[in-house]
Amino acid sequence: DPTTGRMWNWQDAKIAVEYLFSAGRVTIAGRRNFERLYDLTERVLPAETLAAPAVEPAEAQRELIRMAARAQGIASARELCGVSGNSGYYPLPRELAARRVAELVEAGDLIPVRLSESKQQHYLSREAREPSAVAAGALLSPFDSLIWNRDRALRLFDFHYRISIYTPAAQRVHGYYVLPFLLGDRLVARVDLKADRKQARLVVPVVHVEPGADRDEVATALAAELRLMAGWLELDDVTVGGRGDLASSLTQALARC
């Protein structure tokens, strides 16, 4: 049946081009929405990059783990490199992952640390810096380093997160395309977003505040972030639907900013 593929419904052409991508014969030249656009590697990467000597495999593996540690700040070995699963940034076989992590600890690139209420060994990037205060404010993509590992988000932030696009409509709690809102060092709200291009507006069908968060503070900060996002998307306005326990406060905050 030509309409039925393999591997997440991939057709033969997709399987072939992904093989060529893995082999380095083609690479990703851009994206159209979520769709990859491929081209010959030599037409995408600079000549000096292609001419550079190949990195020794063990060092390449160590660098991938360093990158994962920098992105996550603090993480277990499983979260760094998967250790026989796909929950890590760059999955490696269990024994190989343990060896590379040990080498990075010995070199001082990873610092072993313990988290309260956790029996797992965690590691801190040598480049991590502890700020005196966290002044973050951002709507997070479902693939953001902070939350893409859902088990980690639950364990570290007590934040059970699902994007909900694959959840049947009747079972959705927080909306369809749900983005967590980070304020300071806490995840304080869940925001369902939709870009209405025809009406040139950013729509918030559903919005909820997390337990214990200051409703007015969250609404004010979130309103500013939504205005910023609307401008980035070249939309003229932000409108809020009536669903969710933060909807009323957010509507008032948007009117003020």
Side-chain angles (χ1 to χ4, degrees):
D1 183 352
T3 65
T4 303
R6 300 176 293 276
M7 297 174 61
W8 296 346
N9 205 35
W10 284 4
Q11 301 296 324
D12 289 344
K14 172 65 173 176
I15 295 172
V17 78
E18 283 294 318
Y19 173 82
L20 292 172
F21 173 56
S22 298
R25 303 294 295 276
V26 302
T27 194
I28 299 170
R31 289 181 182 270
R32 184 185 295 116
N33 296 324
F34 285 101
E35 183 181 15
R36 288 177 172 180
L37 303 177
Y38 301 89
D39 200 350
L40 295 174
T41 301
E42 58 267 29
R43 293 204 300 229
V44 178
L45 298 183
E48 57 270 25
T49 300
L50 294 173
V55 179
E56 190 268 328
E59 177 54 28
Q61 293 158 358
R62 285 189 289 267
E63 181 57 26
L64 290 175
I65 296 174
R66 292 187 193 101
M67 291 167 61
R70 288 194 296 268
Q72 296 181 93
I74 189 169
S76 67
R78 185 176 189 86
E79 291 158 355
L80 288 172
C81 44
V83 293
S84 77
N86 61 0
S87 60
Y89 251 63
Y90 306 106
L92 293 172
R94 183 180 299 274
E95 292 184 4
L96 184 59
R99 186 158 65 248
R100 298 292 176 252
V101 167
E103 291 167 355
L104 290 169
V105 169
E106 184 176 0
D109 291 328
L110 292 180
I111 302 170
V113 295
R114 291 285 183 181
L115 299 184
S116 59
E117 302 180 4
S118 176
K119 296 180 180 179
Q120 295 185 60
Q121 178 68 65
H122 285 72
Y123 301 92
L124 184 69
S125 169
R126 178 178 63 180
E127 299 179 22
R129 297 292 181 265
E130 183 177 354
S132 57
V134 178
L139 285 159
L140 303 181
S141 156
F143 312 106
D144 189 275
S145 296
L146 189 68
I147 57 169
W148 78 275
N149 185 323
R150 310 301 193 228
D151 292 338
R152 181 173 184 266
L154 178 62
R155 180 165 51 82
L156 293 184
F157 296 96
D158 194 25
F159 191 80
H160 182 271
Y161 172 57
R162 297 294 183 270
I163 187 175
S164 298
I165 60 176
Y166 301 114
T167 303
Q171 298 176 24
R172 292 177 194 142
V173 177
H174 300 107
Y176 174 75
Y177 195 82
V178 183
L179 303 186
F181 182 51
L182 173 69
L183 186 61
D185 60 358
R186 294 186 58 200
L187 296 168
V188 296
R190 301 168 192 255
V191 189
D192 185 21
L193 285 181
K194 179 181 179 180
D196 183 348
R197 295 288 181 183
K198 291 183 178 180
Q199 299 295 323
R201 60 182 183 174
L202 182 64
V203 182
V204 186
V206 191
V207 58
H208 288 87
V209 66
E210 287 295 288
D214 185 299
R215 186 182 304 271
D216 291 335
E217 179 185 14
V218 172
T220 299
L222 179 56
E225 190 66 24
L226 289 169
R227 293 288 187 198
L228 180 65
M229 176 173 279
W232 175 62
L233 293 172
E234 299 182 342
L235 302 173
D236 297 333
D237 199 8
V238 181
T239 60
V240 181
R243 296 173 56 199
D245 56 13
L246 192 61
S248 178
S249 297
L250 180 59
T251 299
Q252 295 173 29
L254 283 166
R256 295 193 297 267
C257 76

